[in-house]
Amino acid sequence: MAPSTTETAVGRIKPCRLIELEQHNDDRGHLSVVESELTTGFPIRRIYYLHNVRSGIARGGHAHQALEQLLIAAHGSFTVHLDDGERRAEYRLDDPGTGLYVGPMVWRDLTEFSPDAVCLVLASDHYDEADYYRTYEEYMRNNRGLA
Ligand code: T46
């Protein structure tokens, strides 16, 4: 099955959206597929995951200048709050068969992790602290010039 997308308005460079992953489900269980570029629209150069996140803790609190990501709730659930300086959207991710594409220059906060949550992140590039805006003020200063 080809991946399908649902458009949302957040993301002034590339729109953030839910991506339904290719799935092969039978009575043995489910198999979900992510292919670099084909599913994600970007080459996957790094994979990391958040787990054992304590109750009440928020992660994120930053934007990336250029990094693109696909976020998947591989297990459990969590909420992703997106903000491009003009528009906001909120996603409760709880389905390993669906990914959330988050593009460049989008502020994100991740909250309300279930105790068993695993947030799998497929990223377009290697780790580079210089790609992060760690304060909302710095993010907005650099965001203003965007069309
Ligand atoms: C994102 C959300 C969903 C590394 O050294 N290498 C890495 O690849 C990463 C991702 C982080 N780090 C270091 C940087 C910090 O000292 O690990 C520490 C924790 O990272 P951070 O505070 O950025 O973690 P989160 O959960 O707030 O954000 C992470 C990603 O950084 C970010 O890209 O979108 O997950």
Side-chain angles (χ1 to χ4, degrees):
M1 185 180 71
S4 65
T5 61
T6 307
E7 295 295 328
T8 70
V10 175
R12 295 164 74 187
I13 295 177
K14 280 176 84 172
C16 299
R17 64 196 190 278
L18 289 171
I19 297 178
E20 192 182 321
L21 305 180
E22 176 183 329
Q23 295 207 49
H24 302 272
N25 304 337
D26 58 35
D27 54 12
R28 297 170 300 169
H30 293 188
L31 187 157
S32 302
V33 180
V34 178
E35 293 194 84
S36 178
E37 314 222 32
L38 291 178
T39 313
T40 53
F42 58 80
I44 299 170
R45 296 209 174 88
R46 182 168 47 122
I47 298 172
Y48 53 93
Y49 42 98
L50 310 176
H51 51 109
N52 289 329
V53 178
R54 289 204 319 276
S55 171
I57 292 293
R59 310 279 314 211
H62 58 255
H64 286 281
Q65 193 173 328
L67 194 75
E68 299 177 73
Q69 296 159 304
L70 189 71
L71 273 53
I72 300 170
H75 199 259
S77 58
F78 52 89
T79 302
V80 184
H81 309 259
L82 301 178
D83 176 350
D84 67 8
E86 289 182 344
R87 294 162 294 242
R88 291 182 182 164
E90 204 175 283
Y91 295 89
R92 183 78 189 162
L93 297 188
D94 59 4
D95 172 13
T98 303
L100 176 63
Y101 169 82
V102 181
M105 297 301 286
V106 174
W107 187 266
R108 85 287 312 273
D109 292 294
L110 282 70
T111 64
E112 297 168 288
F113 285 81
S114 63
D116 57 349
V118 178
C119 170
L120 176 63
V121 184
L122 312 178
S124 65
D125 218 334
H126 303 290
Y127 176 68
D128 178 9
E129 186 58 35
D131 188 62
Y132 285 75
Y133 295 118
R134 292 278 187 188
T135 69
Y136 195 75
E137 292 67 28
E138 185 194 14
Y139 161 64
M140 283 306 289
R141 256 199 320 276
N142 289 278
N143 198 24
R144 264 188 213 111
L146 295 179

